[in-house]
Amino acid sequence: MPLPLPPYYAVIFSSQRRDNDDGYGATAEHMLELAAAQPGYLGVDSARGADGFGITVSYWRDEASIAAWRAHADHVLARERGRRDWYQSFTVRVARVERTYGSFQHD
Amino acid sequence: MPLPLPPYYAVIFSSQRRDNDDGYGATAEHMLELAAAQPGYLGVDSARGADGFGITVSYWRDEASIAAWRAHADHVLARERGRRDWYQSFTVRVARVERTYGSFQHD
């Protein structure tokens, strides 16, 4: 995923899913699309293993764009559903990306 | 994963695995054990999906502990093998965790 040079910001969302779906997949997809349309959005990476533990890192221009996305009404509702229905546990960390190294593409 | 209060540092390693093993599993496990024994290590989260895309975030007290781990001989060798054999692509980002919010544990 090509990103601008640092500094920029990362929101690191680590979560353990519960053993259900109940709309999770559709909402997760909608959130990715909606996030990508927000000012200051730079990109996202996401991985989840068979054990239900996942990490999603979204990248943002600055703290203001993170705060605006956090306040988006659809995102607020999705987070409420996440707490209630979809996640056993999660942690959100906001970090300032200082530098990248080792970006690599095999021949 | 309980961590101290911010600030601390995160190394965000996003990678696409190639379609082989050839020692990857044993080395990955060894690297996790070895990292956990380094000064300044705070913890690690890791997830990889069925498509081979994974994210590992390791947490460190400061930049000096990241630099020391990066220079560890076994880690240098493992990275060389990673480039040559195990990864199709990867990116490493170093970020300063400014704050956490939303840490949540379901009843």
Side-chain angles (χ1 to χ4, degrees):
Chain A
M1 185 178 54
L3 290 184
L5 289 177
Y8 50 82
Y9 283 81
V11 178
I12 306 167
F13 177 69
S14 305
S15 64
Q16 179 63 51
R17 285 270 287 117
R18 301 174 76 185
D19 221 5
N20 62 356
D21 190 287
D22 193 22
Y24 169 78
T27 300
E29 193 174 332
H30 178 53
M31 286 303 110
L32 287 176
E33 288 172 7
L34 200 58
Q38 302 307 306
Y41 171 89
L42 299 177
V44 70
D45 282 327
S46 195
R48 189 174 303 279
D51 61 355
F53 184 78
I55 302 174
T56 297
V57 188
S58 60
Y59 296 101
W60 301 86
R61 178 72 62 191
D62 50 33
E63 296 236 37
S65 49
I66 293 171
W69 168 233
R70 187 167 159 76
H72 191 293
D74 287 13
H75 191 196
V76 171
L77 287 173
R79 291 205 308 276
E80 286 173 7
R81 284 225 56 200
R83 283 171 191 268
R84 195 177 66 214
D85 297 331
W86 296 322
Y87 296 114
Q88 181 58 40
S89 60
F90 63 77
T91 303
V92 183
R93 296 183 173 93
V94 177
R96 183 178 186 270
V97 177
E98 308 281 359
R99 64 182 189 279
T100 66
Y101 56 80
S103 188
F104 169 77
Q105 179 76 41
H106 209 282
D107 293 334
Chain B
M1 186 178 54
L3 290 184
L5 289 176
Y8 50 83
Y9 283 80
V11 178
I12 306 167
F13 177 69
S14 305
S15 63
Q16 180 64 51
R17 285 270 286 115
R18 302 173 77 184
D19 221 4
N20 61 356
D21 188 289
D22 194 20
Y24 169 78
T27 299
E29 193 174 330
H30 178 52
M31 286 302 110
L32 287 176
E33 288 172 6
L34 200 58
Q38 302 307 305
Y41 171 90
L42 300 177
V44 69
D45 282 328
S46 194
R48 188 174 304 279
D51 60 356
F53 184 78
I55 302 174
T56 297
V57 189
S58 59
Y59 296 101
W60 301 86
R61 178 71 61 190
D62 51 33
E63 296 236 38
S65 50
I66 294 172
W69 168 233
R70 186 166 159 75
H72 190 293
D74 286 15
H75 191 196
V76 171
L77 287 172
R79 291 205 308 277
E80 284 173 8
R81 284 224 57 196
R83 284 171 190 265
R84 194 178 65 213
D85 297 332
W86 296 322
Y87 296 114
Q88 181 58 41
S89 60
F90 64 76
T91 302
V92 183
R93 294 182 173 94
V94 177
R96 182 178 187 272
V97 177
E98 308 280 358
R99 63 183 191 278
T100 66
Y101 57 80
S103 188
F104 169 77
Q105 178 76 40
H106 209 281
D107 296 333

